[in-house]
Amino acid sequence: MNQSSSISKKTTVYYIWAAISLAFMFLFRMVVPPFAGINEVGIGMLGVFFGVLIATITTGEIFWPAVMGLFAMILCGFASAGDLLKLWFGNTTIQQIIWVMALTGALTESGAVNVFARKILRIKLLQGHPMRLTMTIFFAVLVCSALVSSPTAMLLLWYPILDGLCENCKIEKDSDLKRQLLLGVYISAMGAYILPFKGVHLSSIAIISSIMEGSGLEFNSGLYLFGATLVVVLFVLGYGFFMRFVWKTDLTPLEKFRFADLNIKDEDMKMTPKQKILFGFMFFGILFLIASLVLPKGSAFTAFYNKVGTTWVWIVLFTILCMMRDREGKPFINGVKLLQTKTMWGIVAVAGCFTICGGAIASDAYGIKVAISNLLTPILGNANWPIMVIFCVVISTFFTNFTNGMPVSFTINAICIPLACKMQLASGGNFATVLGIATILSGLCAFLTNGSIAYAPLLLGREEMTSKFIFTKGVMTNIIFIVICSLVCIFLGYIG
């Protein structure tokens, strides 16, 4: 009787929050009049954003809130039905999620990931040393992400590898160790933002460069590379330090692990021809993305690369695998089945919804960005350098965890970079470029909610993740980043 009553109470609470969320999505525009320069459509998009955000946080669902939010966008006049579908499925990040999920799903299904995980576990220097093993994984993700500039692709590649390692080490899914390893891999993927000539953050760098040019200054790409690398590396090291010495995470499963105890046969350490081919295709896709870094801009390959982009390479590789036949004449992979079973449509829906909301916030057409600018300008007008850095890092990190980080970065850059330019012209230093490092990285340290960044659902959608973990150790992880980023950027700003 008590259990039945408990279930009924939980169901009631669920429907209450669902109703509140739907009210925000569909009624916010009708109840709240335009204000602070935000027009009716802007008000409607804020309602959609807050409604979907409330629903995903309180109900634990991601698919239906996102789909209802997308439908509400049509009703609030943001886009027509057809145009919204184009914005949703035409987004390159969303398409990359769909196709890379399918390809990595084929890789995982073949058992190749388990073989790869066993090979990592066999490295003698890592056995019996849990922190060596942990930090090796983190920095491998960081380096790969820096080269590929795609956190989405790296998470989809490394999470199955991490799952294989944890399975071999008998680490429980419902354990803080597994959750902390997942979050550690996630933040290590911030390595994607350290190169100043490749990645999604180039849009922010372009804005910063244009503002600096107006003041007769030049964006220092070398300093950005050094500073961003230093921040991300120290962040990952700081996170590892907290795992070991502050949170005192139970590392016993990793500490007692010995590869010989697994009694793995020699044949299980070797990849089959099919596994090698699948790994080869994945490796080729990664090399294709890296190639643009080393080939001359005027080469034929660079022209081809720019035409194909970073998403179609995965689609073509997947299609070629579907065309191939094994020795028995059967399809090498079942493409349709993989797209049906390996693509997490809840993630596709919520990532698409929040990406569109983020675009609306960043746009000048709806007045949201201007309203935020008007709110912040009086606060930052007379701030000195350390206060400005801390304020920008804290505000960017906070807001990016509830809305898309890039619009926040755009807005703060538009307000603060001109002030940093004045400081630099008056007293030297590298204030403008360094403040760019602070705002860009802070605007991309995002994982507390599904609305924080497009690939956040890849972490939050995991069955291991709990709201308690995210809003305790996850919040502390953000604080670690804020302290490290602020200290590094304050110091670098004074370097002439």
Side-chain angles (χ1 to χ4, degrees):
M1 192 73 177
N2 291 335
Q3 183 179 1
S4 176
S5 175
S6 175
I7 293 173
S8 176
K9 188 179 295 184
K10 289 180 180 178
T11 302
T12 301
V13 171
Y14 173 91
Y15 280 117
I16 289 173
W17 280 114
I20 292 172
S21 305
L22 290 171
F24 266 91
M25 293 181 207
F26 293 100
L27 302 177
F28 197 72
R29 177 183 173 185
M30 299 179 186
V31 175
V32 179
F35 68 99
I38 305 177
N39 60 30
E40 289 187 3
V41 176
I43 294 294
M45 290 301 289
L46 286 177
V48 172
F49 169 75
F50 286 117
V52 177
L53 189 64
I54 291 169
T56 56
I57 292 174
T58 56
T59 68
E61 303 277 354
I62 58 176
F63 181 75
W64 72 256
V67 174
M68 293 303 290
L70 290 164
F71 180 58
M73 292 180 193
I74 299 171
L75 298 185
C76 80
F78 173 74
S80 67
D83 288 341
L84 191 67
L85 288 172
K86 293 176 184 177
L87 288 172
W88 182 9
F89 289 103
N91 183 282
T92 55
T93 299
I94 303 304
Q95 286 296 320
Q96 191 177 73
I97 287 174
I98 293 172
W99 295 97
V100 177
M101 272 183 180
L103 186 55
T104 54
L107 191 67
T108 305
E109 199 173 71
S110 72
V113 172
N114 291 333
V115 177
F116 189 74
R118 293 179 195 127
K119 288 181 180 293
I120 294 177
L121 288 173
R122 191 171 60 176
I123 299 174
K124 291 183 180 180
L125 290 175
L126 304 182
Q127 294 183 51
H129 299 279
M131 283 308 297
R132 288 184 192 175
L133 177 62
T134 300
M135 299 312 295
T136 297
I137 294 172
F138 290 170
F139 279 100
V141 175
L142 192 157
V143 172
C144 291
S145 298
L147 295 174
V148 176
S149 294
S150 174
T152 301
M154 286 301 97
L155 292 176
L156 290 170
L157 175 64
W158 279 95
Y159 273 170
I161 294 173
L162 181 62
D163 289 336
L165 287 171
C166 290
E167 184 179 345
N168 283 327
C169 293
K170 297 181 180 179
I171 296 174
E172 298 290 336
K173 286 186 176 182
D174 188 25
S175 66
D176 261 7
L177 177 56
K178 180 62 182 294
R179 283 186 276 266
Q180 288 172 28
L181 289 172
L182 287 168
L183 179 56
V185 168
Y186 185 95
I187 64 171
S188 298
M190 284 183 67
Y193 309 123
I194 66 177
L195 296 180
F197 47 82
K198 184 177 178 65
V200 67
H201 53 294
L202 285 183
S203 51
S204 283
I205 290 178
I207 293 173
I208 295 168
S209 297
S210 64
I211 295 173
M212 291 179 67
E213 287 173 5
S215 299
L217 301 172
E218 184 178 353
F219 184 82
N220 190 330
S221 296
L223 180 60
Y224 178 91
L225 175 61
F226 174 77
T229 302
L230 185 60
V231 170
V232 175
V233 167
L234 290 178
F235 180 33
V236 173
L237 286 172
Y239 180 82
F241 177 87
F242 264 71
M243 281 184 63
R244 178 67 180 85
F245 299 106
V246 179
W247 296 330
K248 299 184 184 299
T249 305
D250 181 15
L251 300 175
T252 303
L254 294 173
E255 187 175 24
K256 293 183 177 180
F257 172 76
R258 295 295 183 275
F259 183 78
D261 296 339
L262 295 178
N263 296 319
I264 296 175
K265 300 177 182 178
D266 289 340
E267 55 265 30
D268 293 331
M269 292 298 299
K270 299 177 181 178
M271 289 192 183
T272 65
K274 180 177 181 178
Q275 292 170 342
K276 290 179 180 178
I277 292 172
L278 287 169
F279 243 124
F281 270 67
M282 178 63 71
F283 188 64
F284 176 84
I286 294 173
L287 283 181
F288 183 86
L289 300 182
I290 297 174
S292 64
L293 298 176
V294 296
L295 293 174
K297 293 183 178 181
S299 68
F301 180 85
T302 303
F304 176 76
Y305 178 90
N306 293 333
K307 183 179 292 185
V308 173
T310 58
T311 299
W312 265 100
V313 60
W314 301 109
I315 300 174
V316 171
L317 289 174
F318 187 77
T319 304
I320 292 173
L321 286 170
C322 292
M323 294 168 59
M324 294 172 59
R325 294 292 185 269
D326 59 22
R327 293 179 179 179
E328 298 177 358
K330 296 179 180 179
F332 203 74
I333 63 172
N334 188 332
V336 174
K337 181 181 177 182
L338 286 168
L339 285 169
Q340 290 173 338
T341 59
K342 300 301 180 182
T343 300
M344 292 175 273
W345 291 102
I347 291 175
V348 171
V350 75
C353 180
F354 281 122
T355 298
I356 295 171
C357 284
I361 293 172
S363 172
D364 293 324
Y366 310 106
I368 302 173
K369 184 172 72 173
V370 174
I372 297 173
S373 175
N374 292 337
L375 178 66
L376 294 180
T377 299
I379 301 173
L380 290 172
N382 298 315
N384 59 30
W385 172 243
I387 296 299
M388 179 178 289
V389 171
I390 294 170
F391 182 86
C392 288
V393 171
V394 171
I395 292 297
S396 297
T397 305
F398 174 80
F399 276 104
T400 196
N401 277 284
F402 296 93
T403 183
N404 188 287
M406 295 309 292
V408 174
S409 176
F410 294 158
T411 304
I412 291 183
N413 286 334
I415 300 168
C416 298
I417 296 300
L419 299 176
C421 288
K422 290 181 181 179
M423 290 183 182
Q424 187 166 328
L425 290 170
S427 57
N430 278 292
F431 298 125
T433 297
V434 173
L435 193 63
I437 298 172
T439 59
I440 290 171
L441 293 181
S442 301
L444 293 164
C445 182
F447 52 83
L448 293 186
T449 69
N450 283 298
S452 57
I453 205 166
Y455 56 88
L458 295 176
L459 172 70
L460 300 179
R462 300 275 312 198
E463 61 178 306
E464 298 93 338
M465 283 296 143
T466 63
S467 296
K468 179 182 178 181
F469 175 81
I470 288 297
F471 287 101
T472 52
K473 291 184 172 66
V475 171
M476 179 56 66
T477 301
N478 271 300
I479 294 174
I480 295 169
F481 171 81
I482 289 171
V483 172
I484 290 173
C485 186
S486 297
L487 290 176
V488 170
C489 290
I490 289 171
F491 173 76
L492 290 179
Y494 289 114
I495 298 177

